[in-house]
Amino acid sequence: MPGEPAEIHFLIEPLGPNYGRAAFSCGSKELDSYLRTQAGQDLKKRAAVPFVITPDHRTIAGFYTLSQHAVDLGELPEDVAKKLPRYPLVSATLLGRLAVSLQFRSQGLGEKLLMDALYRALQSSKQIASAVVVVDAKDEQAAAFYRKYGFIEFRRIQRRSFLPMATIVQLFPE
Ligand SMILES: CC(C)(COP(=O)(O)OP(=O)(O)OC[C@H]1O[C@@H](n2cnc3c(N)ncnc32)[C@H](O)[C@@H]1OP(=O)(O)O)[C@@H](O)C(=O)NCCC(=O)NCCS
């Protein structure tokens, strides 16, 4: 329709050298600084893979990171733990960080990033097992965001929560 702004299409891809990291601002100094100074190192040293959401292959509208992880079986709620084998450590995927730039907030990008991360975790778990996706919320607001999507809190670790892969499978029927 003439006069209506054109819809912006966003793409999610691994962080690369073409991205202007310094311009990213999400309201959290820790997360901004992570993207500027640490994300590239984590990628290089294989500690985590950062993915970005972008409208133009240059601007970072948001990002998240994924890495392999393990959690203590005893930290999971009893009803979840009893469905898992009795190994002391449960294989997991860590969604280490997730943030959307202030400029692009409240347009559904946080949800897009989260769903993309869960989908990648699910796909990857078919090759290298992972029973849960774990997130660390930086504050109560972030914890509320994850709760909205069904994340369950750990028994003793504050603001750490998880989503069983069995739940994630149901989000992406084949
Ligand atoms: C949390 C964050 C990623 C949400 O990003 P966003 O792009 O604004 O979120 P979306 O527009 O995709 O929102 C998706 C849904 O989540 C809801 N939501 C957003 N932030 C929320 C919060 N803090 N608590 C509860 N629900 C929230 C929205 O209302 C929306 O729900 P609706 O579709 O029913 O209206 C963003 O606020 C952010 O980057 N915060 C700073 C960093 C941070 O806290 N990261 C979390 C990990 S440490």
Side-chain angles (χ1 to χ4, degrees):
M1 284 249 297
E4 273 193 15
E7 200 188 326
I8 303 175
H9 292 283
F10 289 91
L11 197 97
I12 300 177
E13 58 186 19
L15 176 67
N18 44 317
Y19 282 102
R21 298 169 208 192
F24 185 81
S25 170
C26 73
S28 155
K29 274 191 186 151
E30 191 265 325
L31 287 167
D32 292 350
S33 149
Y34 172 81
L35 186 64
R36 276 176 209 157
T37 62
Q38 192 63 40
Q41 288 297 313
D42 277 2
L43 178 62
K44 199 168 150 195
K45 294 179 181 166
R46 299 180 193 272
V49 181
F51 291 89
V52 297
I53 188 161
T54 178
D56 57 9
H57 298 284
R58 286 190 308 273
T59 311
I60 301 178
F63 76 97
Y64 69 79
T65 62
L66 285 181
S67 50
Q68 304 215 51
H69 204 62
V71 297
D72 252 323
L73 187 64
E75 291 297 342
L76 298 176
E78 190 49 45
D79 59 324
V80 176
K82 75 178 182 214
K83 291 183 194 145
L84 296 168
R86 299 268 112 193
Y87 299 129
L89 287 178
V90 178
S91 55
T93 306
L94 179 67
L95 175 52
R97 291 170 169 93
L98 183 152
V100 172
S101 150
L102 289 169
Q103 191 193 337
F104 291 94
R105 281 288 171 78
S106 306
Q107 299 175 30
L109 299 194
E111 177 168 311
K112 269 200 176 75
L113 284 173
L114 179 60
M115 290 303 136
D116 191 76
L118 296 180
Y119 184 71
R120 276 185 215 274
L122 173 63
Q123 293 309 112
S124 157
S125 76
K126 292 175 186 170
Q127 303 282 330
I128 300 173
S130 170
V132 293
V133 170
V134 175
V135 294
D136 282 314
K138 68 173 183 55
D139 55 26
E140 183 41 42
Q141 270 205 326
F145 174 73
Y146 291 124
R147 266 200 301 277
K148 179 179 157 63
Y149 294 96
F151 278 78
I152 306 161
E153 287 191 2
F154 274 65
R155 286 162 67 165
R156 286 182 286 267
I157 311 173
Q158 220 192 357
R159 299 215 181 100
R160 171 162 271 215
S161 56
F162 70 94
L163 203 55
M165 206 57 83
T167 307
I168 297 170
V169 170
Q170 292 168 13
L171 296 176
F172 304 102
E174 286 185 342

